[in-house]
Amino acid sequence: MTDKSVIILSLMLFHSSFINGKTCRRQLVEEWHPQPSSYVVNWTLTENICLDFYRDCWFLGVNTKIDTSGNQAVPQICPLQIQLGDILVISSEPSLQFPEINLMNVSETSFVGCVQNTTMEDQLLFGCRLKGMHTVNSKWLSVGTHYFITVMASGPSPCPLGLRLNVTVKQQFCQESLSSEFCSGHGKCLSEAWSKTYSCHCQPPFSGKYCQELDACSFKPCKNNGSCINKRENWDEQAYECVCHPPFTGKIKQCIYKLLTEIKLHFKRGGSHL
């Protein structure tokens, strides 16, 4: 390890002693974007370092409940949640651009413990040292959660100081086919924080995996205390049936047909009152 590297690591250790941790803010709900987005992560200790993955590393609102029992502090760059097909760029600051540094894909256990396996050359993200800006190959951004740590060919690793990143890549289940409209045009394709996927959130009166089903009963079409039963079909005028209580009847006629018929027959027979 060069003298320059030792000096840099010493400065990083000095700097880390003054880090109080930052809360990483993110939206609680995000909508799927049809076109890929690009994310640039600054590989630095001067910003976006949080100290506790389950608390400080996410600002989720006062009503969010997360079990924090038994979890240890894991200083790291703010976690990232992206969608499948997005582009991730790692940008290193000049003070980190010494020869031995690279990034490695590791397991969650190795991520928490900053364990570097120097024999796993096939797990290195880049074929050269980390210098300037590097685009992460899509093979490291498949669906699921990925854990990246800083590694060096020799000497102490700066990973324990917070130079590690976990990235969750989400897929969407909002289309019946690639040519289908998202959520059948009756909802939004959304993902909540900590969710592993995007799914349809339907607008009333639609429901179903792709918002393809109409809840016709939401209009309360059955009169006179009749019970409405959805037929779970696409929108049409017969998407429901009414179960009527005597003397009312009429599956699609809103439980009034039989009563009106009896009234007409009564007066036809000369009745003066019911």
Side-chain angles (χ1 to χ4, degrees), residues 39 77 129:
Y39 295 86
I77 294 172
R129 66 179 176 132

Side-chain angles (χ1 to χ4, degrees), residues 248-259:
F248 304 101
T249 188
K251 290 182 178 181
I252 311 299
K253 296 183 180 295
Q254 301 181 347
C255 300
I256 59 174
Y257 179 74
K258 184 176 182 180
L259 179 61

Side-chain angles (χ1 to χ4, degrees), residues 42-43 74 77 117 135 174-175 205 214 269 271:
N42 293 321
W43 211 255
V74 181
I77 294 172
N117 188 337
T135 300
C174 299
Q175 293 174 284
L214 169 70
R269 294 177 184 139

Side-chain angles (χ1 to χ4, degrees), residues 129-181:
R129 66 179 176 132
L130 184 61
K131 181 180 180 180
M133 302 184 73
H134 295 264
T135 300
V136 177
N137 193 298
S138 59
K139 75 175 183 177
W140 303 115
L141 298 176
S142 57
V143 173
T145 300
H146 305 271
Y147 301 92
F148 305 139
I149 68 173
T150 303
V151 296
M152 299 180 66
S154 61
S157 171
C159 172
L161 305 181
L163 290 181
R164 45 183 152 177
L165 170 72
N166 79 81
V167 181
T168 298
V169 182
K170 306 181 182 184
Q171 64 186 132
Q172 59 91 0
F173 296 101
C174 299
Q175 293 174 284
E176 218 163 352
S177 65
L178 291 177
S179 59
S180 300
E181 191 174 3

Side-chain angles (χ1 to χ4, degrees), residues 5-267:
S5 300
V6 173
I7 294 172
I8 291 171
L9 280 178
S10 299
L11 290 173
M12 291 165 62
L13 284 166
F14 178 77
H15 171 77
S16 69
S17 64
F18 290 94
I19 295 177
N20 294 319
K22 297 183 179 180
T23 299
C24 302
R25 296 176 178 268
R26 65 167 285 113
Q27 293 182 334
L28 293 181
V29 178
E30 293 185 347
E31 185 173 2
W32 180 273
H33 40 267
Q35 299 300 322
S37 292
S38 295
Y39 295 86
V40 178
V41 173
N42 293 321
W43 211 255
T44 173
L45 281 170
T46 60
E47 59 181 277
N48 296 328
I49 298 293
C50 55
L51 297 183
D52 192 318
F53 178 77
Y54 292 96
R55 288 181 295 204
D56 299 332
C57 292
W58 288 117
F59 177 78
L60 297 175
V62 294
N63 295 322
T64 303
K65 296 181 179 179
I66 298 176
D67 182 13
T68 60
S69 59
N71 294 309
Q72 59 180 302
V74 181
Q76 60 181 292
I77 294 172
C78 287
L80 188 62
Q81 295 195 356
I82 64 177
Q83 67 182 48
L84 186 63
D86 282 345
I87 299 169
L88 175 60
V89 177
I90 304 296
S91 176
S92 65
E93 63 178 21
S95 63
L96 293 177
Q97 295 176 9
F98 43 90
E100 300 92 346
I101 197 168
N102 206 324
L103 301 187
M104 176 178 283
N105 176 68
V106 297
S107 66
E108 182 179 5
T109 301
S110 296
F111 176 84
V112 173
C114 268
V115 178
Q116 172 185 352
N117 188 337
T118 55
T119 63
M120 298 174 62
E121 295 295 326
D122 59 335
Q123 295 302 305
L124 293 175
L125 265 65
F126 309 118
C128 56
R129 66 179 176 132
L130 184 61
K131 181 180 180 180
M133 302 184 73
H134 295 264
T135 300
V136 177
N137 193 298
S138 59
K139 75 175 183 177
W140 303 115
L141 298 176
S142 57
V143 173
T145 300
H146 305 271
Y147 301 92
F148 305 139
I149 68 173
T150 303
V151 296
M152 299 180 66
S154 61
S157 171
C159 172
L161 305 181
L163 290 181
R164 45 183 152 177
L165 170 72
N166 79 81
V167 181
T168 298
V169 182
K170 306 181 182 184
Q171 64 186 132
Q172 59 91 0
F173 296 101
C174 299
Q175 293 174 284
E176 218 163 352
S177 65
L178 291 177
S179 59
S180 300
E181 191 174 3
F182 281 93
C183 302
S184 304
H186 302 137
K188 292 185 177 181
C189 187
L190 305 176
S191 178
E192 298 176 352
W194 299 101
S195 174
K196 298 293 185 181
T197 61
Y198 284 78
S199 58
C200 287
H201 289 234
C202 306
Q203 299 171 345
F206 295 93
S207 62
K209 182 177 181 180
Y210 306 109
C211 303
Q212 77 281 12
E213 299 175 350
L214 169 70
D215 181 9
C217 290
S218 66
F219 297 111
K220 298 181 179 179
C222 302
K223 307 302 180 183
N224 301 304
N225 296 320
S227 300
C228 183
I229 300 177
N230 271 302
K231 295 174 68 176
R232 296 299 180 189
E233 298 173 358
N234 293 327
W235 180 280
D236 61 40
E237 63 179 3
Q238 297 185 9
Y240 68 92
E241 290 184 359
C242 294
V243 178
C244 306
H245 306 291
F248 304 101
T249 188
K251 290 182 178 181
I252 311 299
K253 296 183 180 295
Q254 301 181 347
C255 300
I256 59 174
Y257 179 74
K258 184 176 182 180
L259 179 61
L260 291 177
T261 301
E262 289 183 351
I263 292 174
K264 290 178 181 178
L265 288 174
H266 176 80
F267 284 101

